[in-house]
Amino acid sequence: MVPGASHAPVTGLSERWAGLGGEVGVAVDSVELWRVELPFADPVATARGVHRRRPLALVRLMGNVVSGDTRPVEGWGECAALADTTFDAEDVDRSFEVLGHQLVPALFEQLASGHHRLPGPAHLVGTRDAAPDAPLAFAALEMAVADAHLRAEGRSLASLVGVEGRTVEPGAVVGMTESVDELLARVGRLVSQGYSRVKVKIAPGWDMEPVAALARAFPHLRLQVDANASYRPGDGPGDDTGGHLAGLDRFGLLCIEQPFDPADLGAHAGLATRLSTPICLDESLDSPRRVEEALALGACSVVCVKPARLGGLGAALSVIERCRRSGVPLWMGGMFESGYARGVNTTLGALEGMSWPGDLSPSRSYLTDDLVPDEGMTAPDPRNGLHGAPAPPIRAVPRGPGMGTPPDPGALARYGTLRRVITSR
Ligand code: MG
């Protein structure tokens, strides 16, 4: 549990999610799809190129509350697909097309067969089946459906999952740098801001030396490493990757994340028998069923929760509940979301079962402008500054209604590159 953060019981999450949409009727007339490009503060390099902007696909449902007084209501969803397919089979342009040509038409079909009432987010099976290979696009639509129902009911996601008014301590992420000195300087800045958990990226040739330097310079920092599937089981001195990575054990890391190919659960299970550092999976975990497989095989002992990658908020809540029940440590991952979706992740990050600060630093730490106002940090809790370090930053979960403040029309006008409206008739 994150020190200083308060947590609500997690019991009944799936039931609460399944019940959303049962209270107030919502009719949807049209769906607006947006493609926007937000400016990154620093370029982000992936295996497929350097990205200076974060393209995002957004879904906006527009309709009316039809129980009692009729009034307009909207629902916003954000797609986490990235600019390229380095980490997922979907990129943002594919998600946008799948939403426009498959998922939104399927939603309208489902609406027509259900007396034109918007189903709850847990009851979109007919819609999801229209594009089973596009979980990230579906997750965006599911988020919009949930947001519309929450707005119609005048409540927040936080109230639905029982974390209203809670706070979380965010962790920070640092990419690979040109030198170990630069890495130490960047992590040092974060430590001086009070971050108590930092994740750094590793890869063959960039692992022992930087991690040893960090462990020496910041002995009290909670450090985790993310390999983004950059190792192969036969890499390393003497073709012994396991033996090489076991060298990380002496640094007391929180976990090593996704060393091998996402499809190769067996390699991760084999590595787990040789390391005392817990193995966490991220890219491998693209559905609740995959989480079950990985845990059953012993391929991981820690789970990174990324709602979009798992197939949506409903899938994420079921994974959180399942892992919480069996004591599997969890933490919230991030995908360079806008502040809107990062607020959603922050809400989930306040749930019981989150074992340490997730990738929940403010979106303004990687974007120079955003779709929603900068919610920033609330005042740190001075009780939490450990070992003489500054108190860690604290984030409040969005108050709602719905997922939080919806995207600002001015920001959409500034950063929108494509807008498509689909109507039900
Ligand atoms: Mg990762």
Side-chain angles (χ1 to χ4, degrees):
M1 186 180 288
V2 178
S6 42
H7 293 277
V10 82
T11 321
L13 272 184
S14 296
E15 288 82 355
R16 291 186 208 185
W17 185 251
L20 179 59
E23 299 282 319
V24 179
V26 173
V28 171
D29 311 315
S30 60
V31 176
E32 198 175 63
L33 299 179
W34 281 91
R35 187 188 182 287
V36 301
E37 290 191 0
L38 300 176
F40 272 133
D42 295 304
V44 172
T46 70
R48 287 179 169 81
V50 175
H51 303 286
R52 290 186 166 72
R53 302 176 82 80
R54 173 49 161 125
L56 287 168
L58 302 168
V59 183
R60 181 191 188 193
L61 305 185
M62 292 180 288
N64 290 287
V65 172
V66 292
S67 306
D69 291 340
T70 300
R71 57 191 159 85
V73 71
E74 63 178 15
W76 284 91
E78 176 175 320
C79 182
L82 297 159
D84 65 36
T85 55
T86 302
F87 305 114
D88 294 283
E90 269 176 273
D91 62 24
V92 63
D93 294 319
R94 169 140 194 277
S95 300
F96 187 91
E97 290 307 311
V98 166
L99 281 160
H101 293 294
Q102 291 163 261
L103 288 172
V104 173
L107 178 68
F108 282 135
E109 267 180 44
Q110 204 181 331
L111 278 161
S113 65
H115 309 289
H116 298 278
R117 295 289 184 96
L118 183 67
H123 306 283
L124 295 169
V125 176
T127 299
R128 185 176 56 213
D129 287 352
D133 58 346
L136 302 183
F138 172 77
L141 186 63
E142 183 214 42
M143 189 192 293
V145 169
D147 186 51
H149 281 299
L150 289 166
R151 286 182 202 282
E153 293 181 17
R155 62 194 302 216
S156 62
L157 177 66
S159 82
L160 180 77
V161 301
V163 298
E164 213 169 9
R166 309 289 180 187
T167 56
V168 300
E169 180 192 334
V173 186
V174 178
M176 276 181 255
T177 51
E178 291 289 315
S179 67
V180 171
D181 283 347
E182 188 187 339
L183 182 69
L184 289 172
R186 287 183 63 176
V187 172
R189 278 196 293 278
L190 291 165
V191 170
S192 70
Q193 290 165 26
Y195 283 95
S196 75
R197 189 232 65 169
V198 173
K199 179 171 99 175
V200 298
K201 301 285 183 170
I202 60 166
W206 179 263
D207 44 27
M208 295 306 149
E209 191 193 348
V211 174
L214 287 170
R216 240 189 339 266
F218 310 105
H220 301 299
L221 183 65
R222 289 184 283 183
L223 194 60
Q224 72 185 77
V225 297
D226 185 359
N228 287 120
S230 58
Y231 292 85
R232 288 189 303 276
D235 286 344
D239 291 338
D240 180 12
T241 308
H244 174 68
L245 290 176
L248 291 170
D249 280 344
R250 66 185 186 274
F251 304 121
L253 303 174
L254 292 172
C255 64
I256 173 171
E257 190 181 334
Q258 196 72 52
F260 300 135
D261 186 277
D264 198 348
L265 293 183
H268 288 97
L271 182 65
T273 64
R274 305 186 60 187
L275 260 59
S276 60
T277 305
I279 294 178
C280 173
L281 291 178
D282 173 8
E283 286 92 331
S284 292
L285 304 182
D286 57 5
S287 67
R289 195 201 306 176
R290 194 73 167 151
V291 174
E292 291 297 341
E293 286 171 10
L295 290 172
L297 269 175
C300 68
S301 55
V302 174
V303 166
C304 169
V305 178
K306 288 187 177 170
R309 183 169 287 154
L310 285 165
L313 284 166
L317 291 172
S318 75
V319 165
I320 291 169
E321 207 164 33
R322 183 255 181 262
C323 291
R324 170 76 186 86
R325 244 186 251 123
S326 51
V328 175
L330 298 159
W331 60 278
M332 283 301 298
M335 294 179 79
F336 294 113
E337 301 85 0
S338 83
Y340 181 72
R342 188 142 284 208
V344 176
N345 287 355
T346 301
T347 300
L348 265 53
L351 286 165
E352 187 182 345
M354 294 295 160
S355 297
W356 57 74
D359 297 345
L360 296 171
S361 59
S363 56
R364 293 295 202 288
S365 64
Y366 49 86
L367 299 171
T368 56
D369 197 4
D370 200 346
L371 300 172
V372 295
D374 183 9
E375 313 226 322
M377 301 288 190
T378 59
D381 182 340
R383 289 171 304 176
N384 295 336
L386 300 176
H387 310 291
I394 295 291
R395 300 205 74 188
V397 301
R399 287 197 182 85
M403 302 289 159
T405 308
D408 168 57
L412 290 168
R414 277 197 301 287
Y415 300 114
T417 57
L418 210 51
R419 175 177 171 269
R420 186 182 296 167
V421 179
I422 306 164
T423 58
S424 62
R425 291 174 283 281

